[in-house]
């Protein structure tokens, strides 16, 4: 046996040791569960834990002893956002509507990760139906930022990000509709990637806004992110929006650096941000220059309309998607006997939280016959405009950089009463969702003990480039990613 | 854009969401605030812009061949009778 800190080591290192038989998967998984027991009362990252994880760990150890060929993530602990379906575990979306729901199938990404030997250790907290930026709008608990438990971890994949930063898992899955992977990654000082729309299957991701969202990896290193992405991409017959592209090994080119690449710093994304954030991102830009990249400031005029376009589309899609929760076929059961359809349907849906109800109502508003042209159609046209501006920039620039979040992690409860103010914090992340491009958030620095994330965006299917640049940056910076 | 309580009440009914008086009061203000923000889209001229198709094409549709469902979908239904789902009666 070798000595390594199993709570903080990378998946890449742990899997190597497991395969050699130097690390016992059972001991490693048990150690993670012990740690969860110790810190969870402060962090509140998980909604449920997987009772079968230890059994799965023993199976991996037996396979190692038998000399069997093992998967890329053999024995590695993974935390899964609780809006991704798992057939043996509850999938609640942090909602009362799905509080006891156990899906009859696995999401495609779960099938793929388990095939590679990953072990689901638990389901992580989120804002109800992934609608939020702080994880305060879970109907079960508020997840806290491990770097300062008085502050929000970001959201909506706040449980996944916090579990990584607190050493409660080695890898995690999140979902990103308007920044829900990148925002908590930034606030918790971990890596989070929203891939190109269609690169990862959405089958089994509970729908909020289908044209915007995707599942993606959240990790403590860029290398682990590449490793995990290797396991979840590909065409899926269950999701016809998945792309017919060859799977790649994103670790193969990871060390190629940024020398000669053209990188644009997006003016509109950095002009109105917190001064610490601004300084940190300008410093990061200089670091890329020192690595041999050509750096320029660029401007995307239509970005001023991105947030209004995004929220119009996201709420419209949400109002349509969430119509399915009728309390009849699955989810909450209030006993339909004696009820008339409409009164039962309405009673069931009173179980949605405020945030969700408000979004459904506004979504209904922008889709209603008198306002469809004024809001929804316009929002879709703005989406085209933004897409055109980005496309023209990508003719010259390989990558674009910006802050992930315009502000530092704020105090729990600080913004809960003002929805519009809360939406404004998504200002730098929503563009990537509107136009379907990949975007990664990586730890950039700490200021006054609080993390700042750097966002790197690229053209469709440029994940290799994103990962190369993120890795090069990570190599020359020393930012803490875990606190145990 | 002004948003009235009656409008929000009607929208809530369309979405089958029950609101009490206090919720209606708060939601009306919030909906108006958010819709007014969406009005910023009025500032931009979009006449020559079309809603674009996806830049990366969708995968081909698979052939329309029926497959056996492997999932026990009815296992999650609480109120069922034989192979039917029991629902409240339609008025």
């Amino acid at each position: 046996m070798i000595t390594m800190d199993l709570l903080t080591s990378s998946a890449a290192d742990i899997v190597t040791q497991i395969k050699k038989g130097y690390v016992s998967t059972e001991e490693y998984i048990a150690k993670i569960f012990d740690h969860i027991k110790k810190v969870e009362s402060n962090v509140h990252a998980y909604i449920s834990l997987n009772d079968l994880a230890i059994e799965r760990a023993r199976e991996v150890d037996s396979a190692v002893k038998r000399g069997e060929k093992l998967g890329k993530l053999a024995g590695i602990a993974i935390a899964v956002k609780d809006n991704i379906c798992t057939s043996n575990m509850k999938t609640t979306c942090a909602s009362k509507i799905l509080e006891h729901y156990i899906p009859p199938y696995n999401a495609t990404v779960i099938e793929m990760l388990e095939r590679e030997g990953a072990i689901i250790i638990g389901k992580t907290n989120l804002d109800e139906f992934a609608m939020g930026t702080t994880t305060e709008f879970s109907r079960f608990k508020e997840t806290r930022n491990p770097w300062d438990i008085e502050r929000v971890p970001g959201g909506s994949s706040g449980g996944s990000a916090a579990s990584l930063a607190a050493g409660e898992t080695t890898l995690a899955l999140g979902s990103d509709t308007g920044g829900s992977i990148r925002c908590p990654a930034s606030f918790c000082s971990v890596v989070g990637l929203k891939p190109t729309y269609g690169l990862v299957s959405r089958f089994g991701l509970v729908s909020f806004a289908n044209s915007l969202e995707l599942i993606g990896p959240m990790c403590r290193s860029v290398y682990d992110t590449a490793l995990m992405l290797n396991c979840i991409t590909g065409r899926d017959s269950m999701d016809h929006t998945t792309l017919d592209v060859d799977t790649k090994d994103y670790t193969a080119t990871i060390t190629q650096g940024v020398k000669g690449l053209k990188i644009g710093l997006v003016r509109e994304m950095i002009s109105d941000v917190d001064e610490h954030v601004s300084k940190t991102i300008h410093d990061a830009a200089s670091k890329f220059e020192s690595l041999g990249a050509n750096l320029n400031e660029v401007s995307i005029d239509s970005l001023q309309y991105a947030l209004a376009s995004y929220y119009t589309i996201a709420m419209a899609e949400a109002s349509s998607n969430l119509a399915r929760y009728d309390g009849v076929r699955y989810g909450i059961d209030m006993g339909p006997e004696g009820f008339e359809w409409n009164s039962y349907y309405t009673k069931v849906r009173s179980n949605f939280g405020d945030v969700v109800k408000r979004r459904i109502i506004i979504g209904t508003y922008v889709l209603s016959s008198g306002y469809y042209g004024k809001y929804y159609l316009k929002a879709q046209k703005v989406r085209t405009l933004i897409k055109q501006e980005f496309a023209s920039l990508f003719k010259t620039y390989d990558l674009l950089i910006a802050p992930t979040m315009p502000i530092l992690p704020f105090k729990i409860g600080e913004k809960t009463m003002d929805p519009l103010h809360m939406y404004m914090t998504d200002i730098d992340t929503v563009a990537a969702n509107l136009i379907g491009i990949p975007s990664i958030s990586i730890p950039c620095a700490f200021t006054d003990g609080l993390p700042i994330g750097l966002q790197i965006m690229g053209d469709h299917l440029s994940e290799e480039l994103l990962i190369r640049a993120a890795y090069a940056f990570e190599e020359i910076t020393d930012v803490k990613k875990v606190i145990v | 854009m002004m948003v009235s309580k009656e409008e929000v009440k009607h929208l809530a009914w369309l979405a089958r969401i029950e609101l009490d008086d206090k919720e209606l009061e708060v939601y009306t203000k919030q909906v108006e605030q958010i819709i007014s923000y969406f009005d910023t889209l009025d500032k931009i001229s979009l006449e020559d812009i079309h809603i674009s198709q996806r830049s990366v094409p969708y995968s081909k549709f698979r052939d329309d061949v029926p497959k056996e469902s492997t999932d026990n979908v009815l296992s999650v239904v609480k109120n069922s009778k034989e192979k039917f789902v029991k629902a409240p009666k339609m008025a």
Side-chain angles (χ1 to χ4, degrees), chain A residues 175-321:
Chain A
S175 72
D176 192 310
T177 310
S180 282
I181 285 175
R182 291 161 288 154
C183 158
S186 173
F187 276 8
C188 291
S189 194
V190 298
V191 183
L193 170 70
K194 183 206 88 72
T196 302
Y197 188 80
L199 187 64
V200 176
S201 168
R202 287 181 296 107
F203 180 70
L205 170 67
V206 178
S207 294
F208 153 20
N210 321 55
S211 80
L212 299 163
E213 63 207 3
L214 217 63
I215 295 171
M218 300 178 77
C219 308
R220 284 192 298 259
S221 74
V222 177
Y223 191 91
D224 276 1
T225 307
L227 189 65
M228 200 168 155
L229 188 63
N230 282 350
C231 303
I232 59 173
T233 64
R235 164 109 176 85
D236 179 12
S237 62
M238 302 303 278
D239 173 3
H240 94 287
T241 63
T242 49
L243 298 166
D244 221 346
V245 290
D246 292 334
T247 50
K248 277 184 185 170
D249 177 2
Y250 295 94
T251 63
T253 51
I254 200 165
T255 56
Q256 285 181 5
V258 294
K259 200 166 179 203
L261 292 187
K262 285 193 173 134
I263 300 179
L265 174 62
V266 185
R267 189 183 303 146
E268 288 78 3
M269 289 183 168
I270 199 166
S271 52
D272 274 329
V273 305
D274 175 282
E275 58 181 306
H276 297 289
V277 175
S278 172
K279 188 187 174 303
T280 302
I281 301 303
H282 278 111
D283 288 351
S286 306
K287 279 185 182 150
F288 279 117
E289 274 186 311
S290 74
L291 288 166
N294 299 310
L295 213 116
N296 283 103
E297 205 171 273
V298 299
S299 175
I300 306 172
D301 191 48
S302 57
L303 277 177
Q304 57 184 309
Y305 305 106
L307 208 60
S309 165
Y310 166 79
Y311 270 103
T312 303
I313 294 167
M315 289 182 188
E317 291 187 21
S319 74
S320 163
N321 269 320

Side-chain angles (χ1 to χ4, degrees), chain A residues 92-99 127-131 137-139 206-208 318-327 330-332 334 344-361 364, chain B residues 12 15-19 23 27:
Chain A
T92 68
C93 288
S95 178
K96 295 276 179 201
I97 293 262
L98 292 174
E99 191 168 2
D127 293 293
E128 185 176 10
F129 282 101
M131 296 179 189
F137 299 112
S138 162
R139 300 302 299 285
V206 178
S207 294
F208 153 20
S319 74
S320 163
N321 269 320
L322 271 62
R324 74 191 60 174
Y325 298 101
D326 56 14
Y330 54 89
I332 199 167
M334 301 180 82
Y344 181 70
Y345 195 32
T346 307
K347 189 179 165 69
V348 163
R349 292 162 67 79
S350 64
N351 286 284
F352 282 129
D354 268 339
V355 169
V356 176
K357 284 197 270 197
R358 195 166 51 232
R359 288 198 193 202
I360 291 174
I361 289 171
T364 308
Chain B
R16 301 294 185 273
I17 285 172
E18 209 167 37
L19 298 180
E23 281 175 318
Y27 281 27

Side-chain angles (χ1 to χ4, degrees), chain A residues 94-115:
Chain A
S95 178
K96 295 276 179 201
I97 293 262
L98 292 174
E99 191 168 2
H100 305 292
Y101 175 62
I102 299 176
Y105 60 90
N106 272 326
T108 299
V109 288
I110 299 296
E111 293 281 324
M112 291 174 103
L113 288 167
E114 288 194 333
R115 216 176 296 142

Side-chain angles (χ1 to χ4, degrees), chain A residues 71-86:
Chain A
K72 294 188 193 91
L73 297 175
I76 296 299
I78 177 161
V80 177
K81 188 177 182 181
D82 209 20
N83 62 347
I84 299 171
C85 288
T86 43

Side-chain angles (χ1 to χ4, degrees), chain A residues 366 371-382, chain B residues 46 51:
Chain A
V366 299
Y371 296 122
Y372 178 82
K374 182 166 163 52
Y375 296 107
Y376 184 71
L377 214 58
K378 263 193 195 158
Q380 290 287 16
K381 286 185 173 183
V382 168
Chain B
L46 295 162
I51 295 175

